[in-house]
């Protein structure tokens, strides 16, 4: 199976939605009257993209505007489509979810609470609980204890809700005083984290690598 990824802010391995300026402008209209219609129309226009040849299924990675784009694209290609629901896209930006759920072949939720909410919004929808996970065979379980030479590694966007500042503060605790920390990722919180690391004198124990590809990790 070949998976083609399209994104308004495309990273490595993804197709950038063109023209990027139009898509970035559209990002300001995620909710409210006309938002769903506008995103579906954008999806229909995407049906003429050269990468669409041979596509058999369309999937929206988030339940907010990506799902609306996927819906419109599926309409333009006359194909079935699905969507996934996670957090903000479900609990905050989900005002038009009932219409999407009725139109989609199925919706995947990564938490049981999310699956329950989706089922309540559209009882007839096909809701699948698919929790995020890791390839356990690649990462065998080992008991971890703090101490000299031990290292913590965190991966994710540098935004406040991820709790990076709390993790950095924890390095001052007795249990983690001899532990180093590597944070892999990028985001708007970079400068603030750099200031916090410098302010606590942790520059020798905390490394910010920026965004890395799977091969680089």
């Amino acid at each position: 199976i070949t998976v083609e990824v399209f994104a308004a802010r495309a990273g490595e391995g993804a197709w950038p939605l063109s023209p990027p300026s139009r898509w970035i402008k559209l990002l300001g209209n995620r909710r409210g009257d006309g938002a769903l219609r506008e995103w579906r129309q954008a999806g229909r226009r995407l049906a003429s993209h050269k990468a669409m040849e041979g596509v058999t299924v369309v999937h929206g990675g988030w339940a907010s505007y990506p799902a609306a784009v996927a819906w419109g694209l599926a309409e333009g290609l006359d194909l079935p489509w699905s969507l996934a629901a996670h957090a903000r896209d479900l609990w905050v930006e989900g005002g038009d979810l009932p219409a999407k759920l009725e139109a989609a072949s199925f919706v995947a939720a990564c938490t049981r609470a999310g699956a329950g909410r989706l089922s309540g919004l559209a009882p007839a929808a096909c809701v699948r609980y698919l929790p995020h996970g890791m390839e356990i065979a690649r990462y065998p379980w080992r008991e971890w204890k703090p101490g000299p030479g031990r290292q913590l590694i965190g991966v994710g966007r540098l935004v406040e809700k991820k709790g990076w500042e709390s993790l950095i503060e924890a390095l001052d605790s007795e249990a983690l005083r001899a532990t180093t920390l590597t944070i892999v990722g990028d985001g708007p919180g970079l400068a603030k984290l750099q200031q916090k690391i410098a302010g606590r004198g942790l520059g020798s124990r905390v490394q910010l690598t920026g965004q890395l590809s799977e091969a680089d990790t």
Side-chain angles (χ1 to χ4, degrees), residues 85-159:
H86 306 267
R88 182 182 178 85
D89 57 322
L90 168 58
W91 302 98
V92 178
E93 299 177 344
D96 52 19
L97 265 175
K100 293 173 181 172
L101 298 177
E102 291 180 6
S105 298
F106 73 89
V107 54
C110 59
T111 65
R112 292 195 185 279
R117 175 170 172 79
L118 291 166
S119 296
L121 289 172
C126 180
V127 179
R128 299 184 182 276
Y129 168 55
L130 299 175
H132 298 312
M134 299 176 63
E135 296 178 69
I136 300 300
R138 293 181 58 189
Y139 305 98
W141 167 257
R142 292 183 299 173
E143 184 177 1
W144 188 89
K145 294 181 179 180
R150 294 291 187 175
Q151 183 182 28
L152 288 171
I153 298 178
V155 181
R157 289 185 298 126
L158 304 187
V159 293

Side-chain angles (χ1 to χ4, degrees), residues 41-65:
Q41 289 173 347
R44 292 189 193 99
R45 288 192 293 270
L46 188 60
S48 61
H49 195 286
K50 61 181 180 180
M52 296 304 163
E53 184 177 350
V55 170
T56 56
V57 178
V58 178
H59 180 73
W62 299 84
S64 52
Y65 67 90

